[in-house]
Amino acid sequence: MIRAFLALPIPEAVKMEIGRAQDELRQALPKHCVRWTRREQFHLTLCFLGIVATTRVPELTDAVGAAGRGIPALKLRAERLGCFPDLRFPRVIWVWVHDDADQLAALQKVIAQATVKFAGSQSEKDFTGHVTIARTHGIKRPHAQILGSLAHRMTGRFFGEWTADKVELMRSDLSSDGARLSVVAIFPLQGSDA
């Protein structure tokens, strides 16, 4: 069994810029209420599958490969800081990732539909492309207000743009040091050299 998800990788230059913003937030928020995502783990999740039997991985890779066929590489931008569910009650701190043609949402929908039998029922919530940079726990109102103020100041912050030319099937192994991620399979998008 593996704990799996499908994601778009983030280039190192963009990870560095996001990491700089993460460092600014880290200085303003107490350690005990925030768990920071390690920079090497920054990615854009398209679909979380959960536990998948290793015997089903070949079937899964066939389904994702077929679904992604013909989908063009995407020109993505990372900018602005946000929180789920909102800035008043932040649980997840993230950087917004999007494209002008709205092809990212289309790619996510195709991938989610192709993998529904591996992931069980998919949630109906709207997809927001993002990179999770931290998760909060037990954050008090004064610190949430500080976070809100910093996020507001980062509204115009630009972290970079790139061409996303592949989807990766990722394995996540949980440990006391956090999740360890590894790539199981790569699915090139049309017009890429991946």
Side-chain angles (χ1 to χ4, degrees):
M1 302 291 244
I2 64 168
R3 186 171 181 261
F5 63 93
L6 289 145
L8 297 175
I10 307 295
E12 288 304 316
V14 177
K15 286 182 182 182
M16 284 183 61
E17 288 303 314
I18 294 172
R20 286 189 179 107
Q22 192 183 49
D23 289 342
E24 292 171 33
L25 295 173
R26 188 180 278 121
Q27 292 174 13
L29 298 170
K31 292 179 184 178
H32 69 275
C33 69
V34 183
R35 188 175 72 239
W36 300 100
T37 304
R38 294 192 307 267
R39 290 180 196 185
E40 63 270 15
Q41 293 184 332
F42 290 163
H43 62 272
L44 191 160
T45 300
L46 295 172
C47 183
F48 182 74
L49 302 173
I51 304 300
V52 176
T54 52
T55 56
R56 295 194 71 199
V57 170
E59 182 187 358
L60 171 62
T61 58
D62 287 347
V64 175
R69 221 170 271 128
I71 294 177
L74 310 174
K75 187 72 168 178
L76 299 178
R77 295 174 55 87
E79 56 191 344
R80 199 172 74 186
L81 200 73
C83 294
F84 292 135
D86 57 45
L87 289 172
R88 288 182 7 176
F89 303 102
R91 296 289 174 254
V92 175
I93 306 169
W94 49 266
V95 167
W96 183 40
V97 178
H98 67 101
D99 67 313
D100 293 333
D102 207 26
Q103 290 300 305
L104 177 58
L107 172 63
Q108 187 277 334
K109 185 175 182 180
V110 166
I111 295 295
Q113 289 173 345
T115 59
V116 71
K117 66 182 179 179
F118 301 95
S121 62
Q122 297 291 324
S123 65
E124 295 297 319
K125 67 179 183 177
D126 292 331
F127 171 75
T128 300
H130 69 278
V131 177
T132 298
I133 65 170
R135 296 181 186 279
T136 68
H137 48 90
I139 192 166
K140 303 290 185 203
R141 183 167 302 279
H143 295 116
Q145 289 172 337
I146 291 169
L147 174 58
S149 175
L150 289 168
H152 183 68
R153 279 191 265 157
M154 291 186 189
T155 299
R157 188 90 169 248
F158 176 71
F159 300 101
E161 62 184 7
W162 71 99
T163 300
D165 59 1
K166 62 187 170 188
V167 173
E168 295 178 337
L169 173 61
M170 302 294 294
R171 175 180 183 153
S172 174
D173 293 308
L174 300 178
S175 73
S176 58
D177 296 332
R180 290 194 180 124
L181 305 181
S182 56
V183 178
V184 175
I186 295 173
F187 307 95
L189 296 176
Q190 183 177 338
S192 73
D193 297 324

